[in-house]
Amino acid sequence: MYATDLSLNRDELTSERASGISEVEGMKGFVVVERFSPPSPDAPQWDEAFLAERIEIHNLITQVGDQYYGERAAGISSPPGQVTGMKLGTGSTAVAKTGAGAAIVTYLSGSHKAIDGSFPASSLVSSSRQIQWKTSWGAGVVNGSALREVVLINDVLADASSSAANTIARALFGPMTLGTLDTLAITWNHLILGA
């Protein structure tokens, strides 16, 4: 049996494998979006903000994201810049490797936020290397809008849209609307599946 190359690399290397063994190589990612709400007025005194909504979704690593991982790992000079933060939006255009779906579509003003202090993090999850980023938004920062999109970016954290050239990955979720006292945390996970 011949190995199937699922990474879309076009090379001439094939390997003889025992029957029933398959290899999965490449990268994939998922995003965890968590909305926290304050306790209700009749909640016990010790009750703190609780998890009101949790969405786990797949993301798409853009063409620039592929370049980011590959060129940084290979030590090539002038690779795409390091990840700096995340931005939120209300657009629902399908995610894509390049073009309009590879960047924030409808940027939500004021939603640009740096990566939280203890991130990025690296860990071994089963047999995959996981790279993880997390960003948190405090109460009142992004409330009142139907959030649908998030991007992982490497450009300057300005209160403006980011281009596909500065977007490492993009994901769609929701819509999710935050109340004035709600907070938001988004954790981005990229799994590198070597074989």
Side-chain angles (χ1 to χ4, degrees), residues 89-94 99-107 149 151 161-162 170 172:
T90 58
S92 58
T93 299
I104 198 87
V105 173
T106 308
Y107 173 67
E149 59 180 327
V151 289
S161 188
S162 291
R170 180 171 178 258
L172 292 177

Side-chain angles (χ1 to χ4, degrees), residues 11-161:
D11 55 40
E12 298 303 317
L13 178 65
T14 58
S15 60
E16 194 90 16
R17 301 295 296 201
S19 179
I21 296 177
S22 63
E23 293 180 353
V24 178
E25 302 170 352
M27 291 189 318
K28 67 178 183 177
F30 65 97
V31 180
V32 177
V33 181
E34 297 173 310
R35 179 176 63 88
F36 297 89
S37 293
S40 63
D42 58 349
Q45 201 70 353
W46 49 266
D47 195 6
E48 296 180 10
F50 65 95
L51 180 61
E53 188 173 2
R54 183 182 193 275
I55 301 172
E56 185 173 315
I57 46 166
H58 292 285
N59 83 146
L60 187 133
I61 299 170
T62 65
Q63 189 176 68
V64 172
D66 290 345
Q67 182 184 2
Y68 168 83
Y69 280 110
E71 291 186 0
R72 286 196 164 273
I76 292 174
S77 62
S78 302
Q82 284 289 5
V83 169
T84 55
M86 297 183 202
K87 292 184 179 184
L88 301 169
T90 58
S92 58
T93 299
V95 297
K97 290 295 275 187
T98 60
I104 198 87
V105 173
T106 308
Y107 173 67
L108 179 60
S109 181
S111 71
H112 61 295
K113 194 86 167 62
I115 301 299
D116 287 357
S118 59
F119 291 88
S122 176
S123 61
L124 190 61
V125 177
S126 262
S127 59
S128 300
R129 175 59 52 184
Q130 177 175 268
I131 306 299
Q132 189 176 62
W133 293 272
K134 182 177 181 180
T135 296
S136 303
W137 288 262
V141 176
V142 290
N143 61 289
S145 298
L147 304 176
R148 292 180 186 269
E149 59 180 327
V150 60
V151 289
L152 188 65
I153 57 160
N154 68 353
D155 62 349
V156 176
L157 278 173
D159 190 12
S161 188

